[in-house]
Amino acid sequence: MPDEQTRDRVMTDEQARDPVLTATAVTKSYGSGDAAVPALRGVSAAFGRGRFTAIMGPSGSGKSTFLHCLAGLDTVTSGTVIIGGTDITALSRARLAELRRDRIGFVFQSFNLLPMLTAEENIRLTGRLAGRRADGRWFDTVVDALGLRERLGHRPAEMSGGQQQRVAVARALLTRPEVLFADEPTGNLDSRSGAEVLGFLRAAVDTYRQTVIMVTHDPAAAARADRVLFLADGTIAGELAAPTIDAVHARMRGMEG
């Protein structure tokens, strides 16, 4: 378990880089009373604007729960999560839904595309639900960067897994979210398609200063990030800046040994 200085350093390092998201003393328990099962135990972390953070940990470490709490997909038991100055833990369900729609992007392992819609319609879906017309130049930029121009008229069943995930990435980026959350985005892809998707996420950070927070079990995926946060038993167990595959492997072996 990390000491207080380690936890404070995780906060300070990212706060110095213009944090867009800050989690403070976040706890999450399932059940109640003697049957309560703690998933997060006072987790604090800050995420810098225009930075790519990977979250890793052994099975049951709380990494996916933490991501879902950060993204407002799950409620916290205690603590705060602030995105762009808004405490999302204090929002009503309706306001939280609006914030997720307007200011957050999501990419999941299962592509979550509507099968009856074309790629273009899936990409534009979130904006249309919000009653907003997408900027034409930005749409073209995203589509061309992801190599989807020739696939815009295709439905999901007519595309490979890698192409479907690129559509999901385009949909997430089209609204210019303050934070893009990715939960095992390469989990259903072959190594080549996975590398392409990770390259696009990396480029979104480097070129457009997008903030990306990604849960992954893959050291090669984590090595694309600017830093890796490690969770164990519902707490921050350390971090790794400028990660390499070998360094991530070594850290994970140490946690699982």
Side-chain angles (χ1 to χ4, degrees):
M1 185 176 295
D3 58 25
E4 291 185 359
Q5 289 183 338
T6 300
R7 289 194 293 269
D8 289 346
R9 180 166 53 81
V10 172
M11 291 283 287
T12 302
D13 287 350
E14 286 303 302
Q15 285 172 337
R17 298 187 182 98
D18 183 23
V20 67
L21 188 156
T22 303
T24 304
V26 170
T27 70
K28 176 64 179 181
S29 295
Y30 295 98
S32 60
D34 294 338
V37 178
L40 298 174
R41 306 168 185 264
V43 179
S44 295
F47 300 86
R49 190 179 304 277
R51 301 274 291 170
F52 190 166
T53 302
I55 301 174
M56 300 190 76
S59 178
S61 62
K63 57 186 183 296
S64 290
T65 299
F66 187 41
L67 186 83
H68 292 170
C69 288
L70 293 178
L73 296 173
D74 202 352
T75 58
V76 306
T77 301
S78 64
T80 60
V81 176
I82 297 175
I83 297 177
T86 300
D87 181 357
I88 70 171
T89 60
L91 297 180
S92 66
R93 186 172 299 180
R95 289 287 306 280
L96 183 58
E98 290 178 4
L99 180 138
R100 288 197 304 261
R101 183 192 66 198
D102 297 340
R103 296 167 59 184
I104 292 174
F106 300 98
V107 180
F108 297 102
Q109 181 174 342
S110 56
F111 317 122
N112 289 346
L113 304 180
L114 294 183
M116 72 291 295
L117 300 183
T118 65
E120 179 170 359
E121 290 167 339
N122 269 290
I123 292 169
R124 295 184 181 276
L125 181 62
T126 302
R128 286 179 173 171
L129 290 174
R132 298 196 310 270
R133 184 180 180 86
D135 177 87
R137 288 185 180 180
W138 180 240
F139 175 84
D140 288 339
T141 296
V142 170
V143 165
D144 290 336
L146 287 161
L148 290 170
R149 181 65 58 184
E150 302 303 317
R151 295 291 177 178
L152 290 178
H154 290 68
R155 289 182 171 82
E158 301 170 309
M159 294 183 286
S160 69
Q163 290 164 346
Q164 290 183 64
Q165 192 63 301
R166 280 187 271 161
V167 171
V169 172
R171 179 181 58 192
L173 289 173
L174 191 62
T175 58
R176 298 177 186 262
E178 290 185 62
V179 186
L180 190 156
F181 293 96
D183 192 356
E184 299 282 6
T186 62
N188 284 336
L189 304 179
D190 59 57
S191 58
R192 179 177 178 180
S193 297
E196 289 179 350
V197 168
L198 290 168
F200 298 136
L201 292 177
R202 180 72 257 177
V205 173
D206 294 338
T207 305
Y208 306 115
R209 209 169 179 236
Q210 179 64 58
T211 303
V212 176
I213 303 174
M214 173 182 71
V215 161
T216 183
H217 68 279
D218 182 2
R224 297 292 192 111
D226 296 305
R227 69 162 181 164
V228 182
L229 289 183
F230 296 93
L231 266 67
D233 298 323
T235 66
I236 298 288
E239 68 171 313
L240 185 63
T244 65
I245 295 176
D246 289 344
V248 174
H249 263 302
R251 187 68 66 91
M252 287 299 295
R253 282 196 302 269
M255 295 174 67
E256 295 171 348

